[in-house]
Amino acid sequence: MAITAKSVDELKKATASALTISGNDVKVLNWSLIRGEAADTLAWTVAFSPDAETRATGAWLIRVLAKQAGNGPASIHDVYMAKGKGALPTNFTVPAINIRQMAYDYARAIFRVAKKHQAGALICEIARSEMGYTAQPPMEYASSILAAALREDYPFPVFIQGDHFQINAKAFAKDAKAEIEGLKKMCVQSIDAGFYNIDIDSSTLVDLAKGTLDEQQALNYGKAIEISDFVRAHQPKGVTVSLGGEIGEVGSKNSTVEELEAFMNGYNKGLKPGQAGLSKLSVQTGTSHGGVVLPDGTLAKVKVDFDTLEKLSAESRAKFGMGGAVQHGASTLPTELFDRFPQTGTCEIHLATEFQNIMYEHPQFPAALKNEIYEWLKVNAANERKEGESDSQFLYKARKKAIGPFKAKLWGMPQAAKDAIIATLTEKVELLFRKLNVGGTGPAIKPFVPLPDVSLPAPAAAKAGGAEHFEGDD
């Protein structure tokens, strides 16, 4: 288990052989140590240190080191716009992977596979709701991802995405201003942490009872414009945050080309002159988040409307210059379907639940820990149980809610169990990368991904005492 520093001084001493700090500057003494024990210490410290200043210092060090290594956070906006203009092919689909659990270890495995296949078209993401129940605020999540890229010497910029930055329809109806202000606050925190890709989800406000498509989508695109304006005003100089919109709530009726046009026409009409708009649009084509769970705990078969997905992707590129359509709720689909996404020109595909399932359902996952989690859920998530649900249905849907409360135990599980789970994860990622055709995309997209030169001032605690160089340094 890695060191978790409890104070800034302890963190400096733990990393003293790898780096020195002088004001806002960090000098690397030993890159091998950075890509070893130091990365481990930094990631664990940001996730688990009881001291806020120590966590902030660890996050700052990770950002600075990632910038120096060339795998800092970046925006995928120009890649998608290049797809829309025909400057990049449409025959690869970017996997956007929601890493809910064991974030540092999972991300390390994903970057190992990506490095092996020179895959640069890859997004690590987390939804607004996931940040809550997995206990991973933006700074911590970004630190886990960037530390993992450092650890694996990943050679490309890293795309970190805020998935489903969603407007809660019930909260909006009760107090619209408070709900929007909460979402804006989350955007600022995320951008500051290095989330240069944000999916705005105001599709919860679509009103299908309205008479025309424009009326149905008006509140959706109106709030998407408001959030877009806010993000553009707060993005760092030299960064165009990649923004996505959404026209159909996942799990509801399938989207249509006419709905896409109604949303995009309204959205583009409301943009300020010269302002960058959306780079992609999420649609509904038959899937649901996590899949549909049957009473025995198995998943119902899902029929994806690939014809509609292809039409929506083509329309979004031809008429609006975006990268294409985005498919949500896809991780639990049959493996043989994944070839179809690049064939239909799908821009991006979101993958979450299956990666969680790999951990929970692995034969090496500690039985005692799983039983402890399930018993905890029966008490602490009982209000989420729907009438008539079997234990299997309830636990399958609710177990994501235990990831935050059990984060330390999941990160710290026996190494043999962790290694076995990561091996299975690696096989899954290898398969997906091959089917989504992202191998070799690192060099291909490099001309479209400038690494931002964002100023990263050190936290006051990190600068205390001036240059730090402890006895025993190399």
Side-chain angles (χ1 to χ4, degrees):
M1 188 178 296
I3 295 171
T4 299
K6 297 180 177 62
S7 69
V8 173
D9 282 345
E10 190 175 324
L11 179 61
K12 290 178 178 179
K13 290 177 182 178
T15 58
S17 295
L19 59 87
T20 60
I21 302 171
S22 179
N24 289 322
D25 297 323
V26 176
K27 180 182 178 182
V28 172
L29 303 174
N30 189 323
W31 275 106
S32 294
L33 291 179
I34 294 294
R35 297 187 177 106
E37 294 177 359
D40 295 344
T41 295
L42 291 169
W44 278 73
T45 294
V46 177
F48 296 110
S49 177
D51 179 64
E53 288 185 338
T54 306
R55 294 195 301 272
T57 299
W60 171 73
L61 283 170
I62 291 169
R63 285 287 300 277
V64 172
L65 293 169
K67 183 179 178 181
Q68 292 185 24
N71 52 19
S75 168
I76 204 168
H77 175 86
D78 288 341
V79 173
Y80 287 169
M81 300 311 285
K83 276 193 167 194
K85 296 173 183 175
L88 279 173
T90 61
N91 65 346
F92 66 91
T93 299
V94 177
I97 302 174
N98 297 62
I99 307 177
R100 296 172 177 169
Q101 63 291 311
M102 296 164 58
Y104 180 56
D105 293 282
Y106 260 50
R108 283 187 61 190
I110 292 166
F111 286 127
R112 278 197 298 273
V113 176
K115 180 180 177 181
K116 175 183 175 182
H117 295 284
Q118 292 289 287
L122 159 70
I123 293 171
C124 296
E125 68 177 5
I126 187 167
R128 184 186 183 190
S129 59
E130 287 173 325
M131 291 179 188
Y133 62 72
T134 67
Q136 295 185 104
M139 181 183 75
E140 179 187 320
Y141 184 78
S143 296
S144 292
I145 302 305
L146 294 172
L150 271 173
R151 185 68 160 82
E152 299 304 326
D153 196 14
Y154 179 65
F156 307 112
V158 174
F159 302 119
I160 304 173
Q161 182 158 277
D163 177 32
H164 281 301
F165 272 33
Q166 188 177 81
I167 297 173
N168 182 289
K170 290 183 179 178
F172 183 84
K174 184 178 180 180
D175 189 338
K177 182 178 179 180
E179 176 64 8
I180 297 300
E181 288 304 311
L183 181 54
K184 288 178 178 178
K185 182 178 179 181
M186 179 60 70
C187 286
V188 170
Q189 292 174 352
S190 299
I191 292 169
D192 287 348
F195 286 61
Y196 295 153
N197 310 273
I198 293 176
D199 281 355
I200 304 166
D201 182 6
S202 46
S203 66
T204 51
L205 305 180
V206 172
D207 187 351
L208 297 177
K210 298 287 187 180
T212 68
L213 291 176
D214 180 75
E215 290 172 334
Q216 291 173 13
Q217 295 288 337
L219 196 52
N220 181 12
Y221 67 66
K223 290 304 169 185
I225 291 167
E226 182 178 346
I227 299 300
S228 297
D229 288 344
F230 182 83
V231 169
R232 297 294 177 227
H234 289 81
Q235 63 192 12
K237 183 179 180 180
V239 176
T240 302
V241 171
S242 175
L243 291 177
E246 186 160 339
I247 59 172
E249 178 65 6
V250 176
S252 61
K253 80 172 193 67
N254 286 1
S255 304
T256 67
V257 169
E258 291 76 18
E259 287 172 335
L260 184 151
E261 291 180 341
F263 175 88
M264 286 305 303
N265 285 333
Y267 176 87
N268 285 339
K269 190 181 298 182
L271 284 182
K272 296 175 181 176
Q275 180 173 297
L278 302 179
S279 63
K280 58 183 178 177
L281 194 65
S282 295
V283 299
Q284 168 59 10
T285 60
T287 60
S288 59
H289 288 130
V292 177
V293 192
L294 301 175
D296 64 356
T298 61
L299 295 177
K301 291 183 178 180
V302 177
K303 181 178 176 60
V304 179
D305 189 346
F306 283 104
D307 289 340
T308 295
L309 186 57
E310 185 170 19
K311 291 175 183 176
L312 293 167
S313 287
E315 181 76 2
S316 68
R317 287 190 295 271
K319 191 164 184 178
F320 300 104
M322 297 186 291
V326 178
Q327 176 69 60
H328 284 263
S331 70
T332 55
L333 293 174
T335 300
E336 60 269 18
L337 292 182
F338 282 91
D339 301 274
R340 299 287 303 279
F341 292 106
Q343 291 170 10
T344 54
T346 305
C347 177
E348 182 179 301
I349 183 171
H350 289 220
L351 308 161
T353 303
E354 180 61 17
F355 293 92
Q356 174 185 287
N357 293 348
I358 285 171
M359 181 190 75
Y360 273 126
E361 296 171 8
H362 199 284
Q364 296 301 313
F365 186 74
L369 178 57
K370 187 173 184 178
N371 183 65
E372 183 183 0
I373 288 172
Y374 281 7
E375 290 303 313
W376 182 91
L377 287 168
K378 290 174 183 177
V379 174
N380 293 278
N383 61 333
E384 296 191 18
R385 188 164 192 158
K386 295 181 179 179
E387 187 175 351
E389 275 189 336
S390 67
D391 279 351
S392 295
Q393 286 175 306
F394 163 67
L395 291 171
Y396 179 88
K397 290 195 296 184
R399 60 190 181 181
K400 64 185 182 181
K401 297 297 181 70
I403 291 171
F406 287 85
K407 181 171 67 175
K409 290 187 177 182
L410 294 175
W411 279 53
M413 76 172 67
Q415 193 62 45
K418 188 183 288 188
D419 289 345
I421 291 168
I422 294 301
T424 300
L425 170 72
T426 299
E427 293 176 4
K428 181 71 173 184
V429 174
E430 289 262 11
L431 177 65
L432 288 171
F433 279 19
R434 185 173 68 252
K435 286 185 169 290
L436 297 176
N437 200 30
V438 293
T441 54
I445 69 173
K446 186 176 180 179
F448 303 95
V449 189
L451 192 61
D453 185 17
V454 177
S455 177
L456 300 168
K463 295 191 289 186
E468 297 289 341
H469 197 88
F470 292 91
E471 187 176 341
D473 289 352
D474 292 340

